[in-house]
Amino acid sequence: MQLISIIVPCYNEEAVFATTMQRLTEAMASVKDSYANEIIFVNDGSTDNTLQLLKEAAAKDSSIKVISFSRNFGHQVAITAGLDHCKGDAAVVIDADLQDPPRVILEFIKKWEEGFDVVYGKRKQRDGESHFKLITAKYFYRIINRLSAVEIPLDTGDFRLMDRKALDQFLNMRETYRFVRGMVAWIGFNQTFVEYDREIRFAGTTKYPLKKMLNLASDAILAFSNVPLKIATWLGFATSLAAFLGILYALYSRFFGDYEPGWTTLMLAVLMIGGIILMVLGIIGSYIGRIYNEVKGRPLYIIQDKVGFEASE
Ligand code: UDP
Ligand code: MG
């Protein structure tokens, strides 16, 4: 019998855990004649009671497994750890907060049976998200697609199913800065989507404050595009053009118009060019910082505790 692995990253999710657990088991029970399943919860350094709850659940049911990090490593890394440790012929990643309805997994499985290697959830409607989040998310996906050669599907999150073939390719990609949905798009194979209505968070609060959202967005852009590096070239051309026009204007006013010797224009030009140079250095610096961190080759995460896995895993 084929095995389906479900990966659930959890960061301070004590308020939703019991219900999530129940909905997931319900959904998987309806395909239990065709598929075995394992549910891997990744505790991403929670500071509440999440780990305790996970361990209790794992003690009761051998198909539930727990990986617990030594600290918070972030959502994208938590997903990676779960995928690293799963055994399934297919793996499904789902958020812990029930915004991604577990019953949609059954539709993913149908597409997988039709032969697709990656099935991702595409959000039709997003209830209960702030205007700000909806608008920034909308433009973010459109911008990243313009900047990057990889076609990253619009309006998707990390809720998806991957066949073992695609998953093994994904696991080969050990980069430190991980934008999972982009990396999966990059892999290729037969990908398709299932539309679903994204629900409101069942309980608890978002674990993606603005700062984390901005970090994810800059990781995505810097990891999937070199266009910002080319900004220096464009700005170079643009300022040279401005300088050239300035020369024409200066000559004109020197010979035909009024002119006043002064330092204002000089000052403005110096400030502008200085500003542009610093900005471009900043962009280059962002890439270099990332190269530096990649070169260190540190492990992506550190596991403190594992429950439900065999001793050799
Ligand atoms: N999450 C995580 N580590 C983090 C932040 C979030 O594992 O540092 C998990 C979180 O528990 C949830 C999923 O990632 O299962 C998505 O987070 P959340 O629902 O808070 O994000 P939002 O839906 O608000 O974008
Ligand atoms: Mg959520």
Side-chain angles (χ1 to χ4, degrees), residues 13 95-99 129 133 198 201 206-208:
E13 299 288 10
D95 282 357
D97 60 0
L98 292 172
Q99 284 196 287
E129 303 275 23
K133 187 149 186 169
R198 191 152 160 101
R201 181 178 247 283
T206 177
K207 307 300 177 303
Y208 261 100

Side-chain angles (χ1 to χ4, degrees), residues 118 160 162 170 173 179-188 191:
V118 175
R160 64 186 65 233
M162 274 190 260
F170 174 80
M173 299 159 80
F179 182 58
V180 171
R181 56 206 88 152
M183 294 162 68
V184 175
W186 182 89
I187 293 171
Q191 307 211 357

Side-chain angles (χ1 to χ4, degrees), residues 191-250:
Q191 307 211 357
T192 188
F193 61 88
V194 167
E195 282 190 317
Y196 72 105
D197 290 324
R198 191 152 160 101
E199 317 245 325
I200 53 175
R201 181 178 247 283
F202 178 72
T205 52
T206 177
K207 307 300 177 303
Y208 261 100
L210 184 63
K211 190 166 157 241
K212 273 194 186 170
M213 258 167 67
L214 290 176
N215 277 338
L216 183 69
S218 61
D219 282 351
I221 291 173
L222 296 175
F224 280 87
S225 171
N226 289 328
V227 171
L229 282 174
K230 296 180 185 149
I231 285 178
T233 321
W234 299 337
L235 287 176
F237 277 117
T239 42
S240 309
L241 183 68
F244 179 70
L245 295 177
I247 291 171
L248 293 183
Y249 173 73

Side-chain angles (χ1 to χ4, degrees), residues 61-304:
D61 183 340
S62 64
S63 66
I64 295 173
K65 300 173 181 179
V66 180
I67 297 171
S68 185
F69 284 171
S70 61
R71 63 169 171 83
N72 179 258
F73 280 89
H75 179 208
Q76 305 288 299
V77 174
I79 292 173
T80 308
L83 293 170
D84 276 338
H85 287 81
C86 79
K87 287 259 167 57
D89 299 285
V92 176
V93 175
I94 186 167
D95 282 357
D97 60 0
L98 292 172
Q99 284 196 287
D100 312 323
R103 64 192 137 69
V104 178
I105 297 175
L106 305 175
E107 296 176 46
F108 287 180
I109 294 175
K110 283 211 192 83
K111 293 276 183 192
W112 176 52
E113 287 167 343
E114 287 169 24
F116 288 101
D117 303 300
V118 175
V119 188
Y120 53 86
K122 196 170 163 75
R123 308 183 270 238
K124 241 181 351 190
Q125 194 125 50
R126 294 178 86 173
D127 280 338
E129 303 275 23
S130 67
H131 253 310
F132 178 74
K133 187 149 186 169
L134 293 181
I135 293 191
T136 46
K138 180 171 168 207
Y139 285 102
F140 167 69
Y141 286 107
R142 279 145 186 92
I143 290 172
I144 177 93
N145 269 318
R146 295 208 65 171
L147 291 181
S148 165
V150 181
E151 185 88 15
I152 299 170
L154 299 178
D155 307 320
T156 61
D158 291 310
F159 184 32
R160 64 186 65 233
L161 176 147
M162 274 190 260
D163 179 70
R164 177 49 68 179
K165 182 169 82 172
L167 179 58
D168 281 341
Q169 296 305 325
F170 174 80
L171 295 180
N172 275 333
M173 299 159 80
R174 302 312 292 177
E175 60 219 62
T176 306
Y177 293 94
R178 307 180 76 78
F179 182 58
V180 171
R181 56 206 88 152
M183 294 162 68
V184 175
W186 182 89
I187 293 171
F189 293 126
N190 287 328
Q191 307 211 357
T192 188
F193 61 88
V194 167
E195 282 190 317
Y196 72 105
D197 290 324
R198 191 152 160 101
E199 317 245 325
I200 53 175
R201 181 178 247 283
F202 178 72
T205 52
T206 177
K207 307 300 177 303
Y208 261 100
L210 184 63
K211 190 166 157 241
K212 273 194 186 170
M213 258 167 67
L214 290 176
N215 277 338
L216 183 69
S218 61
D219 282 351
I221 291 173
L222 296 175
F224 280 87
S225 171
N226 289 328
V227 171
L229 282 174
K230 296 180 185 149
I231 285 178
T233 321
W234 299 337
L235 287 176
F237 277 117
T239 42
S240 309
L241 183 68
F244 179 70
L245 295 177
I247 291 171
L248 293 183
Y249 173 73
L251 285 174
Y252 173 81
S253 52
R254 174 67 183 80
F255 291 114
F256 304 106
D258 279 346
Y259 86 101
E260 200 177 329
W263 52 271
T264 323
T265 37
L266 191 67
M267 199 66 193
L268 287 178
V270 168
L271 284 178
M272 184 172 95
I273 294 189
I276 290 175
I277 291 175
L278 286 177
M279 187 188 91
V280 169
L281 275 179
I283 294 174
I284 297 175
S286 315
Y287 282 91
I288 295 182
R290 270 144 216 271
I291 296 172
Y292 176 51
N293 281 336
E294 293 291 356
V295 167
K296 281 192 242 173
R298 291 193 183 160
L300 289 176
Y301 51 84
I302 294 172
I303 296 178
Q304 185 162 22

